[in-house]
Structures are given as structure tokens and as C-alpha cells.
Amino acid sequence: LSLECSMTRSETDEVGGVLLPKSVCDRWDQIWNFRARPDDLLITTYAKAGTTWIQEIVDMIQHDGDIEKCKRATTYLRHPFIEITTKYFAGLELAEAMPSPRTLKTHLPVQLVPPSFWEQECKVMRGRWVRLVSRLLLKSRGPSSLNFIQSQIVLWGCWYDHVKGWWDAKENHCILYLFYEDLKEDPKREIQKVLQFLEKDLENEVLDKIIHHTTFEIMKDNPMANYTFQPPAVMDHSISPFMRKGTVGDWKNHFTMAQNEKFDDDYRKKMSRTSLTFRMEL
Ligand code: A3P
């Protein structure tokens, strides 16, 4: 999202040491006091992690594979992005006006998630994916991109803290932690995990339909899922189409050998004390 990757310093601010769009900080009290409902489902990812893909899968599951129903509105209207307000939409208000059961989206790190989600014991789906490396590289700032990934000064906070924070939180909360690489490798297996988590049972035929409808090729041409409805000020497809490549391991086409070594080194250090591991390729 241009929203996420190309803001100037004056368009950002911090909450609890985490860099966020200024519009988020300006409404922080309201966001922090957001009232979750017990049957809310919260989809939480680091930006560019494949959020939209899992949103489409969840929507298809919730609507028993009914494609027309899933085309009722664009992704950002179907699943309010709770912390984001633009001049075109306000996630908070959309969420508040939405009847239950709601599916909501956030990129907030775990410590900044409105506490009422925990109080209400909502279900949370967490995606964490290594391929954001390639995405951030392409969408951000060329040669300095590696620093960008390693940095604390990125929107929604440092990627390492983000993924580890949510990883630890799953010990105490109802969180399904999914991996882009796994979904890419075996969508059926992973969608079955989602079904189980959502306590849904679907016919095999419907499951196959969901898999098909949520492939990269189909979603790429679905205006309700490919963000072409977003105004260019929010999502500028001329910089890079939102549905760019949808593959694992594209970093190889963008990292130099030296950058890769530097990344591996940094990764080893920052991930040394967690059981969380990433597959860099399939
Ligand atoms: P690429 O830029 O690598 O292609 P988010 O929704 O969190 O912003 O993530 C966007 C990324 O998810 C993009 O990655 C996009 O192509 C990828 N994506 C979206 N739908 C997908 C699908 N059905 N299959 C695989 N990747 C998908």
C-alpha cells in the first residue's frame, strides 16, 4: 500500500514507540477504546503479508463458497481496517456500524491491539510471512530497503517484534497462526485449519471452489479483491500493482548476495530466542 510504504516523516507519529500513520495516532484514544464483540474475528498481519488473500478465504468460508455474496463490496468495506481513517473510509466507524458477526482487519502489533479484543476473548487469525521481504523491497526504497526491513522505524513497527509478539501471544489467546508459504504450498490443508478454527464444516466441493476463487490468478482479476477500486491516493497501482506476483522466494530476484548475507546475519540475531521459524523458499 502506498499508504503503508511511502509516507513522509510528517505524516507519521508514534504510539508506545511504534511508528504509525499520523491519522492513527490522532485517533489513538478511540482506537484503543474500540469495543470488540465476543463474536468478532480479527485478522492481523504485518503489512504486505498476504492479508487480502486470507480475508478472501475467510469471507468465502463465512458465505459457504457463495462468490456473488463475496463480491458484495471491496475488501476494505467487507472487513473494516480498524485503525485506518482516510478521506474515503474510516475503519472505526465502518466497524461500529457493522452488524455482528464482524470480521475485522488490523496491522497493529500485539501490544497495541485494543484490549477489548482480549477481554471479549475474540478469535484472532494471524498471518506471518517471510515473503514480505520481497514486497517491502519492491514497494519501498530501492537499495536502502534492507535497512528498511531491519529498522525499528517502519510503519506498524519492526517486523521482527511484530511477528514474535504475535507468536508469543498465541500461548494465552485464541489465535490461529498461519504462514503464507504453507498456504501457497497446500491451500487445502491450510484452509481446513481455518475451517476448524472457525468451527465450520463445508463439503469438499465447496472447499475446492474456495481454493479456486482465492487463487492469485482469479483474485488478480476480481475488482472486489484486487484494490483497483481504491483511489490512487491510497493505492497507486502504477508504482506496483497490488496483486504483484504472489510467489514465495521472490527476494532472490532482488537481493544481492551481500544483502542476502546481511539479512541472514540480522535474521539469525533477531530470531535467536524464539521458536518461530520462517521458510525462505518452498
Ligand atoms: P506480492 O507483492 O508479492 O505479489 P497484503 O494483502 O497483506 O497487502 O499482501 C499483498 C500480497 O499478497 C501481494 O504480494 C499479493 O500479490 C499477495 N496475494 C494476494 N492475493 C494472493 C493470492 N490469492 N495468492 C497469493 N498471493 C496473494
Side-chain angles (χ1 to χ4, degrees):
L1 289 171
S2 51
L3 186 73
E4 288 156 1
C5 295
S6 60
M7 283 187 164
T8 62
R9 197 71 186 144
S10 67
E11 291 169 308
T12 64
D13 208 336
E14 285 181 22
V15 173
V18 175
L19 194 75
L20 293 166
K22 195 159 182 330
S23 59
V24 176
C25 302
D26 290 346
R27 300 195 70 188
W28 186 250
D29 279 352
Q30 270 172 288
I31 295 166
W32 183 249
N33 291 309
F34 179 78
R35 292 165 68 96
R37 303 175 196 157
D39 54 0
D40 283 344
L41 174 71
L42 183 65
I43 296 181
T44 152
T45 53
Y46 198 73
K48 297 290 106 209
T51 329
T52 316
W53 188 12
I54 200 69
Q55 284 178 267
E56 197 64 22
I57 289 171
V58 165
D59 204 37
M60 279 290 276
I61 291 175
Q62 288 167 336
H63 292 92
D64 301 311
D66 187 327
I67 293 172
E68 288 318 306
K69 283 192 185 154
C70 293
K71 289 192 175 167
R72 68 195 179 284
T74 59
T75 312
Y76 62 91
L77 291 178
R78 282 182 276 158
H79 301 149
F81 188 174
I82 55 168
E83 65 267 31
I84 287 294
T85 306
T86 69
K87 63 178 175 194
Y88 307 99
F89 69 92
L92 269 185
E93 280 72 20
L94 280 174
E96 278 160 9
M98 187 170 262
S100 293
R102 305 179 294 188
T103 296
L104 309 168
K105 162 187 166 179
T106 183
H107 285 329
L108 290 169
V110 69
Q111 72 276 17
L112 295 186
V113 164
S116 103
F117 281 103
W118 309 126
E119 286 152 20
Q120 299 292 336
E121 299 183 353
C122 300
K123 287 187 176 178
V124 177
M125 289 183 51
R126 164 74 196 169
R128 58 108 226 190
W129 346 85
V130 74
R131 48 181 297 300
L132 72 92
V133 168
S134 67
R135 184 72 199 184
L136 287 180
L137 268 175
L138 280 183
K139 290 291 275 190
S140 55
R141 11 213 124 154
S144 67
S145 302
L146 193 61
N147 299 336
F148 177 70
I149 294 161
Q150 293 168 343
S151 172
Q152 301 286 339
I153 322 165
V154 274
L155 284 174
W156 281 277
C158 165
W159 177 75
Y160 290 103
D161 295 342
H162 208 282
V163 294
K164 288 191 288 187
W166 279 102
W167 183 249
D168 294 342
K170 76 180 175 29
E171 299 307 319
N172 302 315
H173 301 288
C174 185
I175 296 176
L176 175 68
Y177 211 101
L178 295 166
F179 298 76
Y180 182 93
E181 298 76 22
D182 292 352
L183 196 53
K184 203 71 201 169
E185 180 181 65
D186 190 343
K188 193 165 206 162
R189 180 191 63 206
E190 296 307 303
I191 295 176
Q192 271 162 340
K193 285 185 197 164
V194 179
L195 282 172
Q196 206 176 0
F197 186 69
L198 299 180
E199 296 165 74
K200 281 281 279 195
D201 199 12
L202 295 177
E203 300 284 327
N204 211 25
E205 205 178 290
V206 179
L207 184 54
D208 286 341
K209 192 171 164 193
I210 294 176
I211 294 169
H212 178 71
H213 176 77
T214 58
T215 53
F216 180 81
E217 291 68 29
I218 300 286
M219 276 182 62
K220 195 174 186 315
D221 293 332
N222 177 359
M224 292 303 167
N226 66 13
Y227 279 93
T228 48
F229 265 47
Q230 286 272 54
V234 180
M235 171 81 66
D236 187 348
H237 293 262
S238 68
I239 297 173
S240 166
F242 175 75
M243 298 289 291
R244 191 187 59 88
K245 254 189 179 174
T247 57
V248 174
D250 194 36
W251 56 270
K252 283 188 224 152
N253 300 319
H254 303 281
F255 271 20
T256 62
M257 193 97 91
Q259 281 179 322
N260 194 28
E261 276 168 20
K262 201 170 161 201
F263 175 80
D264 281 349
D265 195 40
D266 190 56
Y267 178 93
R268 259 192 303 276
K269 275 186 216 139
K270 302 220 168 96
M271 300 295 275
S272 63
R273 291 197 199 154
T274 173
S275 55
L276 175 61
T277 52
F278 287 97
R279 285 197 290 169
M280 304 285 173
E281 53 196 317
L282 286 180

